[in-house]
Amino acid sequence: MGTVFWESPFVLDPPPAAVERHGDVDLHVPTGDGRHPAVVVVHGVPGPPEAPDARDWPLYRGYGALLAEAGVLAAIPRLTVASPDDLYTVAARVAAAAELLRADPRVDPDRLGLWFFSGAGLLLGDWLRDPPAWLRGVAATYPLLAPLPGWPPVDPRFRPVDALDQPAAPSGTASPDSPVDAAHAEGAARPTLVLTRAGRERPEVAPTVEAFTVVARRRGIPLCVVDVPNGQHGFDALDHTEESRAAVRTARDTLIALLTAP
C-alpha cells in the first residue's frame, strides 16, 4: 500500500468514538447511559523507535472505535519497551489502566476484558496465572507467546506458556510482583482466551503460538480460536480482505459475549 505499518488503515470502518486522553491512557467512550463492560487494548510492543504514539495509529484507534460501537468502553495505554526490563513497567501500566476503568462510573467494574496484540502477548502470563474475578475474558491477536531465541534473558513471568503449566493461584497467593490484585482473585477461574492466529504468521512467532495452543488444550484451558488462514502478522492493517474483516468481528464479538454473559 506504500505506507508504513503504523499509517496503514484499519480493515474495518467503525464510526469514530469520542476519545478522552487521560495522561498515558486513551478512553474510547460508547454512547448511551448506564454502566458498560470495558476492555484494555494492549498494543504491540516493542514498537519501531521512529513510530508515533501507538494510540494514534489508525489500527488501534480502529479497535477502540470498534469496541465503543458495540457498547464497550475501551482503554488504550501508551506502552514503551526498549529492553526486557521494561516489561515490568509495561505490565504495571496495563494493570493501572484496568483499575482506571474499574473506577470509572461509566464502567461495570465486574465486567472487564484484556486484548493483547503482537509482542504484548508476553504480558498474558500474569493474568492467566492469577486472574482477578472481574476479568471475564482475554483476547490475543497474532500474539508472541514466548521470548524469541537470541533475546536477552527474560523473567519467566513473561513466558505465558509456563503460566499455563501451573495451576491458577488460590485467592490471596498471587505473586507480590504481579500487577494483578489478589484481593479480587477470590473464586476466580482462568478466563477464556480468544486467540486469533494468522495462517501466514512470521516464522519466529508461529512456533510460540503453536506451543501455547498445545499446552492450553492439554491443560483444558478455555480457548476460542479464530483462524485467519491467509492472514499475515498484522493482517488487521495489511490484508484488507473479507477474511480479515470477519476475523476481527468474530474476535470482538466473542470477547464481548464473555464480558456480558450472566
Side-chain angles (χ1 to χ4, degrees):
M1 293 162 97
T3 59
V4 292
F5 181 73
W6 57 84
E7 294 176 351
S8 298
F10 188 42
V11 296
L12 293 171
D13 189 26
V19 180
E20 301 173 0
R21 180 153 290 186
H22 299 263
D24 282 340
V25 180
D26 277 10
L27 299 182
H28 293 249
V29 184
T31 59
D33 297 327
R35 294 202 164 200
H36 302 275
V39 169
V40 180
V41 175
V42 189
H43 67 73
V45 292
E50 70 275 20
D53 187 336
R55 294 176 297 171
D56 295 325
W57 295 11
L59 174 64
Y60 296 114
R61 292 185 73 86
Y63 272 106
L66 189 71
L67 287 162
E69 177 187 37
V72 176
L73 203 157
I76 307 180
R78 181 173 183 263
L79 308 171
T80 303
V81 170
S83 75
D85 286 345
D86 292 332
L87 290 171
Y88 299 102
T89 299
V90 166
R93 286 182 177 170
V94 172
E99 290 305 320
L100 176 69
L101 283 175
R102 297 189 72 237
D104 193 304
R106 297 167 292 187
V107 169
D108 182 336
D110 295 322
R111 295 184 181 275
L112 264 70
L114 301 165
W115 197 340
F116 297 89
F117 292 82
S118 193
L122 295 176
L123 304 174
L124 266 171
D126 285 334
W127 304 95
L128 296 173
R129 191 180 298 109
D130 305 319
W134 47 257
L135 183 59
R136 297 298 189 95
V138 177
T141 293
Y142 45 80
L144 176 63
L145 293 170
L148 297 177
W151 278 21
V154 175
D155 190 320
R157 170 181 165 188
F158 302 113
R159 294 183 58 88
V161 173
D162 293 351
L164 289 181
D165 261 337
Q166 301 173 16
S171 173
T173 62
S175 163
D177 295 325
S178 170
V180 181
D181 185 351
H184 296 291
E186 185 171 357
R190 277 204 173 101
T192 296
L193 174 63
V194 183
L195 174 62
T196 301
R197 302 187 301 191
R200 296 163 56 209
E201 181 58 89
R202 294 176 182 172
E204 69 273 21
V205 174
T208 76
V209 177
E210 178 61 24
F212 180 94
T213 305
V214 168
V215 174
R217 286 177 169 155
R218 185 177 73 232
R219 293 280 304 175
I221 305 300
L223 190 65
C224 294
V225 176
V226 180
D227 279 319
V228 193
N230 299 299
Q232 60 189 310
H233 192 94
F235 71 88
D236 41 7
L238 298 176
D239 302 321
H240 285 244
T241 64
E242 186 52 41
E243 180 184 79
S244 295
R245 290 186 283 271
V248 172
R249 290 191 197 98
T250 298
R252 180 200 65 175
D253 294 347
T254 304
L255 180 59
I256 291 175
L258 296 171
L259 302 186
T260 57

